[in-house]
Amino acid sequence: MTTAVRSFGLSLPDYPWEAMAPYVAKAAEHPGGVVNLSIGTPVDPTPAVIQDALRAAADAPGYPTVHGTAALREAIAAWFARRRGVEGLDPHDVMPTVGSKELVAWLPFLLGLKPGDVVVRPTVAYPTYDIGATFAGATAVAADDLDELDAATRSRVRLVWVNSPGNPTGSVRDAASLRKIVGQAREVGALVASDECYAELGWGEWDLQRGGEAVPSILDPRVTGGSHDGLLAVYSLSKQSNLAGYRAAFVAGDSAIMANLVNSRKHAGMIVPYPVQEAMRVALGDDAHVQAQKDLYRGRRERLVPALESFGLRIHESHAGLYLWSTAGEATWDTISRLAERGIVAGPGVFYGDAGNGYVRVALTGSDERIDAAVARLAETA
Ligand SMILES: Cc1ncc(COP(=O)(O)O)c(C=O)c1O
């Protein structure tokens, strides 16, 4: 191969999860088998009602619609009204996406961001926000408030990622906090994209089914000041409906930007398959399975929290979502190693930015049997 050919390819960092292999191997030596709580991949079955919808739409000889079927877009608008307090969303301002990860990675490029532009992402964050900035040649900057930026950087901000409930920390922004960052972004002419994929999984004061408040969307009227200008909400059915394998997600918001995104996608593809569009439509109309799944996670969380605490971890934030953001007050890898000795794999906080050092992320995505095994092992004296 010539040197010129070797120079092809993006210079992305190695995929960080490869670094976990030795700890997974260590944990697998446990006689009771590994309990892998490192990745937030759903383990419970895809609800039958959704599987049936997928099967019923299996005859799909023609190309699917990029913009989404009218029925799906109406289901998304109805879901926003019913579940997120966002009334009157125009089904035109909605588009299904092949998963959220794909949208997160490609959005800066699709928005036409360029070298010199700044993408702001949360201080401790899902790593794909940085990758998306890199794809567009833009610069990712970590901040939770635009006041943290110097004036020169602030003037270059074109896109602000908000992630509430957050991965990995489980922090939740209330309506006032969202309104503040929207105001700051509008002041500098930047767009706010809000990744809300854990919105249905609020705990404590955000647990709607236990007397709490619903996690607010960026499109909530308390946040928007009555206009969706410059705002995009990104949502995924992976977590709420155990649909990670279907790649079922959507984006909604600013009318002009949505029209531009739909047009770009007509040229570029990345179309959501018709059977998946149908599965999404049915899933978004059925709240019962979301409730049942949330109850499973609540049970696992209630068992894991005291067990992790008895092991010497303190749980920070974790007000919503699928993770317990935990620290033992030591370096991340020391905790990862001690957990691996008990046959438990957790996610290293350092994968989410420098501010994640000292933390591990423990996912609730284990079967009840595996969670109970973890709880028993955490209680053992060393
Ligand atoms: C914050 C955040 N955004 C997006 C995603 C991706 O979800 P999807 O399955 O829709 O690609 C995840 C998945 O873990 C996530 O944690």
Side-chain angles (χ1 to χ4, degrees):
M1 217 186 269
T2 65
T3 319
V5 170
R6 282 216 185 87
S7 71
F8 283 101
L10 294 166
S11 307
L12 297 178
D14 286 340
Y15 196 60
W17 289 96
E18 314 295 343
M20 286 302 293
Y23 299 98
V24 178
K26 173 90 208 145
E29 287 168 15
H30 194 282
V34 65
V35 180
N36 194 336
L37 305 178
S38 66
I39 300 178
T41 188
V43 294
D44 301 301
T46 298
V49 63
I50 307 177
Q51 294 192 39
D52 289 346
L54 184 86
R55 269 188 222 101
D59 184 19
Y63 289 103
T65 143
V66 167
H67 198 175
T69 63
L72 171 57
R73 287 185 285 112
E74 275 156 25
I76 293 171
W79 175 86
F80 265 111
R82 198 177 70 251
R83 305 295 292 184
R84 310 301 311 280
V86 178
E87 299 280 349
L89 180 66
D90 186 340
H92 209 70
D93 300 339
V94 160
M95 175 174 67
T97 62
V98 179
S100 289
K101 178 166 187 163
E102 291 82 339
L103 195 264
V104 169
W106 288 103
L107 187 65
F109 178 80
L110 291 171
L111 292 172
L113 266 63
K114 298 197 171 42
D117 292 340
V118 165
V119 175
V120 171
R121 53 86 165 165
T123 314
V124 187
Y126 179 61
T128 314
Y129 306 125
D130 283 358
I131 298 296
T134 307
F135 274 11
T139 305
V141 172
D144 297 306
D145 188 303
L146 298 200
D147 286 346
E148 294 165 26
L149 308 178
D150 60 54
T153 306
R154 190 166 169 147
S155 68
R156 287 162 48 211
V157 175
R158 304 274 288 134
L159 174 64
V160 178
W161 275 109
V162 168
N163 178 213
S164 171
N167 172 15
T169 62
S171 61
V172 177
R173 282 183 186 265
D174 62 16
S177 155
L178 287 172
R179 189 167 59 241
K180 181 172 182 212
I181 201 153
V182 164
Q184 293 175 332
R186 283 177 171 165
E187 232 173 73
V188 295
L191 210 80
V192 180
S194 174
D195 181 353
E196 305 181 351
C197 64
Y198 300 99
E200 286 278 10
L201 294 164
W203 314 117
E205 61 177 309
W206 300 108
D207 193 342
L208 193 57
Q209 292 74 30
R210 300 287 159 102
E213 196 190 316
V215 171
S217 168
I218 200 80
L219 301 182
D220 187 307
R222 291 170 298 170
V223 175
T224 62
S227 156
H228 291 170
D229 282 3
L231 307 179
L232 293 176
V234 174
Y235 192 70
S236 169
L237 278 75
S238 291
K239 317 290 182 179
Q240 68 147 48
S241 299
N242 298 331
L243 279 191
Y246 286 40
R247 314 308 301 130
F250 56 82
V251 53
D254 184 304
S255 218
I257 292 163
M258 285 306 305
N260 188 275
L261 287 176
V262 171
N263 184 54
S264 298
R265 286 264 315 274
K266 282 182 179 166
H267 289 292
M270 299 194 277
I271 317 172
V272 176
Y274 174 72
V276 175
Q277 293 197 29
E278 273 298 281
M280 278 174 81
R281 178 185 65 75
V282 168
L284 288 167
D286 179 70
D287 298 338
H289 79 272
V290 180
Q291 186 58 54
Q293 187 58 43
K294 180 174 177 181
D295 288 342
L296 282 178
Y297 286 132
R298 189 190 289 102
R300 291 168 190 165
R301 182 184 151 92
E302 283 171 359
R303 303 205 290 288
L304 263 180
V305 167
L308 291 169
E309 285 171 346
S310 75
F311 185 69
L313 292 172
R314 287 189 311 284
I315 317 285
H316 284 220
E317 310 250 25
S318 310
H319 304 300
L322 286 182
Y323 311 108
L324 296 168
W325 185 235
S326 316
T327 180
E330 63 190 1
T332 286
W333 292 108
D334 291 342
T335 313
I336 292 287
S337 177
R338 290 198 297 119
L339 287 168
E341 275 160 27
R342 308 259 171 139
I344 299 166
V345 187
V350 288
F351 284 3
Y352 304 91
D354 296 340
N357 194 16
Y359 288 84
V360 299
R361 190 193 77 167
V362 182
L364 305 178
T365 49
S367 65
D368 283 332
E369 184 275 332
R370 288 289 83 189
I371 296 286
D372 289 341
V375 167
R377 292 175 197 182
L378 290 166
E380 283 162 14
T381 43

